[in-house]
Amino acid sequence: MDDEEIIPILYVKDAATAVEWYGRLGFAEQWVHRFEPGFPAFVEVARGRVKLFLSEHEGDARPDTLIYLRVREVDAVAREFGVDAQDLPWAREVELRDPDGNRVRVATPTS
């Protein structure tokens, strides 16, 4: 590993549904781990160098978590989800909720 990184963990009830939803944001599934068949899934998704862990394990993360994702083109994300981006002093951004209620603010910095 060349760089240090931090990877947010989001609680999800159904990893497959979450992977599909995050796919709309440009994330792709990297791997899935289960201790045994039928056990809760722990999944990594990535969008370039940005990674998220999606966990079905209760207690790994709190529901209603908020993450902030900077992207080059927030308007493309807004179109994908059928929402309007807002112009704020620091960025143009949208706030989305994944199927499990986690909040994802997606933004393009204005400066």
Side-chain angles (χ1 to χ4, degrees), residues 52-105:
L52 296 172
F53 289 152
L54 307 175
S55 177
E56 292 178 349
H57 294 268
E58 291 184 19
D60 269 359
R62 295 171 26 145
D64 195 37
T65 297
L66 170 63
I67 60 172
Y68 197 87
L69 174 64
R70 287 185 176 151
V71 299
R72 287 185 185 90
E73 185 52 54
V74 72
D75 290 309
V77 172
R79 282 190 301 277
E80 171 64 27
F81 287 88
V83 297
D84 294 323
Q86 293 183 317
D87 288 314
L88 301 167
W90 55 90
R92 183 163 172 77
E93 68 180 39
V94 298
E95 184 166 307
L96 307 170
R97 282 198 180 262
D98 75 9
D100 298 289
N102 295 301
R103 295 176 296 145
V104 182
R105 284 193 192 142

Side-chain angles (χ1 to χ4, degrees), residues 19-39:
V19 166
E20 183 178 324
W21 190 88
Y22 282 93
R24 293 175 65 195
L25 280 175
F27 286 85
E29 182 180 294
Q30 302 301 295
W31 49 260
V32 177
H33 175 267
R34 294 179 190 270
F35 284 103
E36 292 184 24
F39 275 40

